[in-house]
Amino acid sequence: MGEFSGDDNWFKGVNVGALSDSARRAILEKIRDKLGFNEAAKTLGVAKSSLYRYVSGQRRVPDEVVARALRHLSRAEFEEIVRGEEKLRALGLVTGDGVPDYSAVLELLALATRDEYIKNAILRFTVENFREDLKKMLGISYAGVKLEWSEGFENFLMERKKRTKVRDPETIKYYRNLFRKHLEGRELSEQLIEWVARHPNGWLRNIFRHYIQYLYFRRRISGETMAWIMEVVPSRSYKLRVKAYRIDLDQFRKTMDYLRSRHELYYLYYLLMYYSGIRLEHVVKLVGAWSPDEEVHVEMLDDYSPRLVCFKSFCRYYMGLRESNKLCEWVYFPRDLLPLLEKHGGTKRDRSKVSDYARKHNLLRPKYLRKLNWRVLEKTVNKESAAKFIQSRLGEIGEISKAVYSDLLSDADYWYPRVMEVLRRGLEDIDYLKTVLKRGVPKPATA
């Protein structure tokens, strides 16, 4: 059986005789494009007229010419040309009669026990192509199971669920409304499972997956049934995409000017997000539950502290939100925002109203403030862990002991005044902010 070895002699595993005429011509065309027509003919040891006839299809490319050509292709280039069953034939994994090399196939399947990618690929292929056979083998059954939101399910989300528990009241409320709108009272069936799997709302898929785990926890379905459904219904983040967010700084400037003159509360929200990098949901909580004089226990310091701690030019306010995957520890902001906070402290708003207002008036969406703040942090703070601490990205820092936490807090207190001044100047001069994001913080001019 031929195989790619990963070294410079990979081509020795190719059965040239199994390659079709079109693949042979494509290989020669690739050599011609890489080396040029004259050099390709010389390298392959054929006359230029012969090379022309081979490439144009007037004559079949001999095996020995193809073999010489393969020496000048990389494995990746070969795989771009030869695909599917023809590739398997060339590698000796399938015979000319279309019969697979069973021992080789079984060896590949055995790799699934130690290769996560192959295992997931096999599972997806099995679900998509042999679903009924799989169900019969596993004895999957869920007849008579009805979906009902209950206190038990809510407790499961908050306390019993494995991995990340769902404890944020707003998230629970959203899940409950979504569940009752789409799933309440429906019977678990293959049709429902497929409908949820295709649903565009990833949060609906998430809450459905949580409920399936709850049904298994209550022994209403078997482990095999749960595993099958979890494979069929993708989670909200089942595809990894790298998103390049473009922040329109001119729209940011217009947004801040608009809010400053028309909506002071939302202007305060945007200022806090801009200066601290916290999420909209957290800034709404901060203002709504504003209690600067309250003494709180800071878990990682194992000590008590006022919620509001102020220095000469800036303050930090302790939120200590760690019960969901969206953490918010300390919120940093300029000290001169205190009058606005005192004025609007205790004012409660639904965060969706803020987003709706931004959309209605064509303002920069709230989520971009956190991204803008992070880009300024990257350009200003030379210590990555301090930048992450300022934005409460604690999960990205690693294990944090009491000593490490104290150091991070001190580092953040040291760096934040510099960050704040860059942000303040950027708020006043949008061209300066554009320069910072493009080239970094400009060095002060020397006399």
Side-chain angles (χ1 to χ4, degrees), residues 324-338:
S324 73
N325 58 342
K326 296 180 180 179
L327 310 180
C328 186
E329 194 77 350
W330 291 94
V331 179
Y332 283 80
F333 57 87
R335 185 166 185 156
D336 54 21
L337 291 189
L338 283 176

Side-chain angles (χ1 to χ4, degrees), residues 104-321:
V105 173
L106 292 174
E107 288 173 12
L108 289 172
L109 289 173
L111 286 174
T113 61
R114 57 182 187 274
D115 188 294
E116 196 69 18
Y117 177 81
I118 294 178
K119 183 189 78 173
N120 290 330
I122 291 173
L123 287 172
R124 284 194 298 271
F125 182 85
T126 304
V127 168
E128 292 170 5
N129 295 276
F130 307 110
R131 180 175 299 180
E132 293 304 317
D133 300 283
L134 181 64
K135 288 168 62 179
K136 290 175 183 177
M137 288 179 65
L138 298 177
I140 290 175
S141 176
Y142 34 71
V145 176
K146 283 193 174 183
L147 281 62
E148 298 174 337
W149 185 279
S150 63
E151 185 178 336
F153 176 49
E154 207 164 299
N155 181 66
F156 172 80
L157 290 173
M158 294 188 291
E159 304 296 339
R160 307 301 297 269
K161 194 174 86 68
K162 292 182 178 180
R163 298 181 183 174
T164 306
K165 294 173 174 53
V166 183
R167 289 174 174 165
D168 179 51
E170 289 295 320
T171 303
I172 291 288
K173 178 182 176 182
Y174 178 69
Y175 274 166
R176 186 190 304 115
N177 293 339
L178 199 61
F179 186 98
R180 287 177 174 167
K181 180 178 179 181
H182 296 287
L183 302 174
E184 185 71 35
R186 299 183 68 171
E187 186 170 327
L188 188 60
S189 66
E190 184 169 339
Q191 290 74 24
L192 177 62
I193 293 167
E194 291 179 348
W195 179 80
V196 174
R198 294 193 302 268
H199 202 281
N201 189 331
W203 293 109
L204 179 64
R205 298 196 300 271
N206 264 20
I207 191 60
F208 183 78
R209 287 165 60 91
H210 292 331
Y211 197 83
I212 294 303
Q213 294 174 57
Y214 171 66
L215 290 176
Y216 172 69
F217 174 75
R218 293 292 305 274
R219 300 183 183 180
R220 299 290 307 282
I221 61 174
S222 67
E224 291 86 356
T225 300
M226 181 185 73
W228 175 73
I229 296 175
M230 297 294 277
E231 183 62 33
V232 171
V233 180
S235 66
R236 176 175 172 266
S237 56
Y238 72 103
K239 285 186 179 178
L240 179 61
R241 294 185 178 96
V242 178
K243 295 184 178 180
Y245 287 99
R246 180 181 176 275
I247 302 172
D248 189 333
L249 294 180
D250 291 317
Q251 188 187 25
F252 166 67
R253 182 196 61 205
K254 293 175 183 176
T255 295
M256 300 307 284
D257 290 342
Y258 184 93
L259 292 176
R260 185 187 298 111
S261 60
R262 290 175 174 83
H263 206 305
E264 191 176 69
L265 175 62
Y266 289 1
Y267 179 58
L268 172 61
Y269 287 165
Y270 270 66
L271 282 174
L272 286 169
M273 288 187 288
Y274 173 69
Y275 277 113
S276 68
I278 64 171
R279 296 177 173 87
L280 174 61
E281 62 192 89
H282 295 147
V283 79
V284 168
K285 284 183 179 179
L286 186 154
V287 175
W290 177 250
S291 51
D293 298 326
E294 183 181 3
E295 286 277 329
V296 292
H297 183 262
V298 181
E299 180 182 344
M300 288 305 299
L301 291 176
D302 193 22
D303 199 359
Y304 286 86
S305 167
R307 277 202 184 274
L308 181 67
V309 178
C310 286
F311 300 90
K312 182 178 179 180
S313 62
F314 72 96
C315 298
R316 51 176 160 85
Y317 187 86
Y318 185 70
M319 296 288 284
L321 299 176

Side-chain angles (χ1 to χ4, degrees), residues 65-110:
V65 175
V66 177
R68 285 197 292 270
L70 290 178
R71 294 173 177 269
H72 301 280
L73 291 182
S74 67
R75 168 182 170 177
E77 289 171 330
F78 174 77
E79 292 183 337
E80 287 179 4
I81 298 169
V82 183
R83 297 172 178 270
E85 188 171 327
E86 184 176 8
K87 174 182 170 183
L88 297 178
R89 293 177 191 275
L91 297 177
L93 295 173
V94 174
T95 68
D97 297 328
V99 178
D101 181 333
Y102 293 113
S103 63
V105 173
L106 292 174
E107 288 173 12
L108 289 172
L109 289 173

